[in-house]
Amino acid sequence: MKRSIGAKTFLCVHPDLIVGTYDLEGRPNMMAAAWGGICSSDPPSVGISVRPSRYTHQSLLEKREFTISIPSERHLAEADYVGIESGKAVDKFAVTGLTPKRSDLVDAPYVDEFPVVLECRLSNTLELGVHTLFVGEILDVKVDEAGLSPEGKPDLSKIRPLVYDSIEMGYYGLGEFLGKAFSEGRSFMR
């Protein structure tokens, strides 16, 4: 029997996404966004939801370009701090010792120490309750060499991304590999 726990922001886990923008004065800034994920495969696109009260919101609207850096488990404290403090009040890069790196394709910084970065150009916005959904077309994905498989594909066991539990407000790593997608279920096919 299942028990109702009410309408909540629960999807088991959310990716811990660090959104990079230049603020209106041209300073590199980053914010943590747990409400986000892939929303289209053609064109490849990612959506992030940001409250209008957040410092990054205006930069996203004005600059229309951003990055998403994906932190590894090794950078748990830095990634958590990015979600605690406002870039309006402090330089989060300076405080954490992380390095802002200028994107090759968009006018936005990314976190050089984090193993994965998506370079995005804003394609759509949608007002949803207390958030604005920003949809960015992914122009490129960059992965540290150490995070790639021998075939040159991102290897989650090497990247070790952080995931966020919005109910317990905690971070987790990924578990063990369980099976191949589009393969394990074939046993049910005739």
Side-chain angles (χ1 to χ4, degrees), residues 19 47-48 55 62 67 72 81-82 99 101 108-109 121-122 135-136 139 142 154 171 173 188:
V19 179
I48 54 169
Y55 188 59
E62 295 286 328
T67 63
S72 67
Y81 173 78
V82 170
T99 309
K101 176 113 179 176
R121 180 166 295 128
L122 187 63
V135 176
L139 304 179
K142 292 176 173 40
Y171 297 100
F188 294 103

Side-chain angles (χ1 to χ4, degrees), residues 177 179-185:
F177 179 80
K180 277 300 258 179
F182 306 103
S183 177
E184 297 296 325

Side-chain angles (χ1 to χ4, degrees), residues 22 26-28 63 65 67 93 99-112 117 119 142:
Y22 289 112
R27 295 177 304 214
K63 300 288 186 172
E65 295 181 328
T67 63
F93 283 101
T99 309
K101 176 113 179 176
R102 181 172 288 281
S103 167
D104 295 328
L105 300 178
V106 296
D107 186 23
Y110 63 86
V111 181
D112 197 30
V117 63
E119 295 169 295
K142 292 176 173 40

